[in-house]
Amino acid sequence: MRNAIAFQGELGAYSHQACHDTHPGMEPLPCRTFEDAIAAVREGQADLAMLPVDNSTFGRVADIHHLLPESGLHIVDEAFVRVHINLLALPGVRLDQIESAVSHTMLLGQCRAFLERHDIRRVTAADTAGAARHVAETGRPELAALASDLAGEIHGLDVIAHHIEDQSTNTTRFLVMAREPDFARRGGDGMMTTLVFRLRSIPAALYKALGGFATNGVNLTKLESYILDGNFNVAQFYADIEGHPEDAPVARALDELDYFTSDITILGVYPADPRRYEGT
């Protein structure tokens, strides 16, 4: 069994940075898609998968909420990783030589003020690590990439401007997935439970279903809905709550939720990342 952690993207991607920062002893396994990263764990090629779910600037990562319930994997940890964006160029190149910056659309939008201030044209790429590789391979001194420190190290580029993101709090939340759940642990900063559920077709079902969390003092930190099977009348809800299902208040809240739902699936029970509460 490989002591590996799978992620979507190339070496040097921000998901790789998250693996490097939180699981430095594990071998990073780059995968082409989120589905491939999930399959790598399911098929035993990796022990864990690192999947981004939310960004503090741009919100939900597209498609990931659809993949989690069908993955066959379980959430065993979360990680909040600061997204520091750097301008990377060929060795010896100065900032005033840069005419264009290439990166993923999301990063180009997160550095809009810096790029406009330096009159740097934005060029869209499929991903950030690939953008760094492109700059290294083309050898054009007027072209730079927006990417991580790690991408610069991998592709031999210099960081000519550090931490140029517009929002200083820019953070991505990752979920760490494994083949087996782990309900035994207790975290020093509390526990989180992630679940998905479908409501029964009764009036005010959502209002009634969520009432149990309020009456039992259980904090619901995230609630999102998304359409299933292309049918506007079928919605599934994704929720994060503070606490462990064995805690009495959480158990009572889940019992009440069960009464108003047709299906509940717990995706994971895991320690809360202490960075979740920074600044609160």
Side-chain angles (χ1 to χ4, degrees):
M1 179 69 65
R2 295 175 65 181
N3 180 35
I5 182 167
F7 65 94
Q8 185 276 326
E10 296 186 29
L11 292 174
Y14 281 96
S15 291
H16 179 202
Q17 184 82 56
C19 296
H20 178 273
D21 292 349
T22 62
H23 293 78
M26 299 188 75
E27 175 189 352
L29 178 64
C31 299
R32 188 177 63 86
T33 66
F34 291 132
E35 290 92 339
D36 290 342
I38 290 168
V41 177
R42 203 166 48 224
E43 297 167 5
Q45 299 170 29
D47 296 311
L48 302 174
M50 179 74 71
L51 301 177
V53 289
D54 295 290
N55 177 266
S56 60
T57 303
F58 278 85
R60 177 200 292 181
V61 175
D63 297 333
I64 198 68
H65 290 67
H66 288 276
L67 296 175
L68 294 180
E70 308 300 327
S71 69
L73 304 182
H74 304 271
I75 305 169
V76 293
D77 266 312
E78 66 175 354
F80 286 76
V81 178
R82 280 283 290 110
V83 179
H84 288 305
I85 305 172
N86 306 287
L87 191 68
L88 308 177
L90 297 172
V93 171
R94 303 185 312 275
L95 177 58
D96 60 10
Q97 293 177 263
I98 301 301
E99 299 175 1
S100 302
V102 58
S103 194
H104 189 276
T105 303
M106 186 176 291
L107 258 69
L108 292 171
Q110 293 174 13
C111 300
R112 188 183 305 272
F114 176 89
L115 298 177
E116 290 180 352
R117 186 164 64 250
H118 292 279
D119 195 26
I120 297 174
R121 184 170 63 91
R122 291 175 287 175
V123 179
T124 302
D127 59 76
T128 61
R133 174 172 49 79
H134 175 71
V135 170
E137 290 176 349
T138 58
R140 292 168 50 195
E142 76 278 9
L143 182 65
L146 301 179
S148 66
D149 292 333
L150 189 57
E153 292 175 15
I154 290 171
H155 295 290
L157 301 177
D158 285 350
V159 177
I160 58 174
H162 289 267
H163 303 177
I164 62 174
E165 60 272 14
D166 295 338
Q167 300 292 331
S168 61
T169 58
N170 190 19
T171 301
T172 295
R173 180 187 180 221
F174 291 85
L175 296 177
V176 181
M177 312 289 291
R179 284 182 296 279
E180 299 296 332
D182 184 357
F183 286 19
R185 292 174 301 163
R186 290 286 178 162
D189 292 278
M191 297 295 292
M192 299 296 300
T193 298
T194 294
L195 62 148
V196 291
F197 61 89
R198 301 182 196 182
L199 295 172
R200 292 169 54 198
S201 183
I202 57 176
L206 181 59
Y207 173 80
K208 295 173 181 176
L210 299 181
F213 295 107
T215 56
N216 287 286
V218 176
N219 191 21
L220 184 69
T221 64
K222 187 181 186 65
L223 179 67
E224 293 190 2
S225 66
Y226 52 98
I227 302 300
L228 289 178
D229 303 323
N231 187 342
F232 282 106
N233 295 317
V234 181
Q236 183 155 278
F237 291 84
Y238 171 102
D240 291 333
I241 61 174
E242 292 182 348
H244 192 291
E246 295 176 359
D247 298 340
V250 175
R252 290 194 297 268
L254 292 177
D255 281 344
E256 292 191 42
L257 179 66
D258 183 59
Y259 183 80
F260 297 104
T261 57
S262 60
D263 180 73
I264 301 175
T265 301
I266 292 181
L267 300 180
V269 179
Y270 49 96
D273 187 321
R275 287 164 292 191
R276 163 182 286 276
Y277 303 108
E278 288 181 359
T280 62

